[in-house]
Amino acid sequence: FPSHDRLAQQFYRLYSRTRGLICKGDGETATRMIDKATGALANKDSKEVEMREIPCQGKDCTDYGPRACSEVMNLQFLLPEVSGFGVWQIDTGSINSILNINNSLSLVRSVYGRVSMVPLILTLEPKEVKNPEDGKKKTVRVLNIRSQDRMIEAYRKAQMRPLELVAATYEL
């Protein structure tokens, strides 16, 4: 990961087919595109719009639900073996992936003392979950972060400076 912060931003987001992102909130505050004439959420027929800061109700919002407002994580990472410098990003709206990534990042921080420049593996794996609508089990694919290190290797690597760790991992 490129840094300790902003590597896995998470927001409630609502998109419109015609206007793109029309509401973005953190569970406390949201920035919402409002139709100036009606005061309602902007739509394709809105002539004049403005962005307003409003309270974010998260899952209690009337716009929350399937194909509407939902949680989105933007996971940013580096690919050391790809030519050039750049940050790559994967976006996910899967609550299972968001929970996995958050828990994995917490574990990596506790083991290495940081998340930046720690060589990890990002995987997409099958997971059995219960469908909240009908209670039936189903298999979904979720993001996970894995390490190939044994605990003693992780301890040694945690003592290394970030770029030394990357160089040692890829034997430059």
Side-chain angles (χ1 to χ4, degrees):
F1 296 103
S3 68
H4 294 290
D5 58 339
R6 299 187 329 147
L7 61 112
Q9 293 185 0
Q10 300 161 53
F11 294 98
Y12 292 97
R13 295 175 189 221
L14 176 61
Y15 291 90
S16 155
R17 287 186 197 189
T18 56
R19 295 191 176 270
L21 181 64
I22 55 174
C23 191
K24 177 180 170 182
D26 62 7
E28 294 180 14
T29 305
T31 304
R32 192 170 185 100
M33 186 181 292
I34 302 294
D35 183 311
K36 283 178 136 182
T38 66
L41 183 63
N43 60 39
K44 65 180 174 134
D45 299 322
S46 300
K47 303 290 184 224
E48 287 188 60
V49 298
E50 67 180 357
M51 298 304 288
R52 283 191 199 155
E53 196 169 283
I54 63 166
C56 178
Q57 299 172 347
K59 292 181 179 180
D60 294 328
C61 179
T62 56
D63 292 315
Y64 183 86
R67 308 229 188 284
C69 176
S70 62
E71 298 94 336
V72 177
M73 173 188 272
N74 309 117
L75 183 65
Q76 297 183 340
F77 53 93
L78 301 171
L79 296 173
E81 294 191 67
V82 173
S83 297
F85 298 108
V87 176
W88 299 79
Q89 178 172 304
I90 289 181
D91 300 337
T92 182
S94 162
I95 194 63
N96 294 299
S97 289
I98 292 170
L99 292 171
N100 282 352
I101 296 297
N102 286 336
N103 291 333
S104 296
L105 290 175
S106 179
L107 180 60
V108 169
R109 275 189 190 95
S110 67
V111 171
Y112 292 92
R114 66 177 188 268
V115 293
S116 68
M117 300 300 175
V118 174
L120 300 165
I121 300 166
L122 181 63
T123 64
L124 187 62
E125 302 172 2
K127 180 178 182 175
E128 192 173 275
V129 299
K130 273 189 181 177
N131 183 335
E133 294 173 12
D134 61 15
K136 292 182 181 178
K137 290 182 181 180
K138 67 178 184 175
T139 300
V140 297
R141 299 234 175 240
V142 296
L143 293 171
N144 274 309
I145 295 174
R146 304 282 184 209
S147 172
Q148 291 182 324
D149 291 341
R150 292 174 297 169
M151 191 60 76
I152 193 68
E153 292 171 321
Y155 172 76
R156 287 188 194 119
K157 289 179 177 182
Q159 311 308 310
M160 300 172 79
R161 292 186 308 203
L163 292 179
E164 285 178 333
L165 177 55
V166 173
T169 301
Y170 294 99
E171 299 177 20
L172 299 175

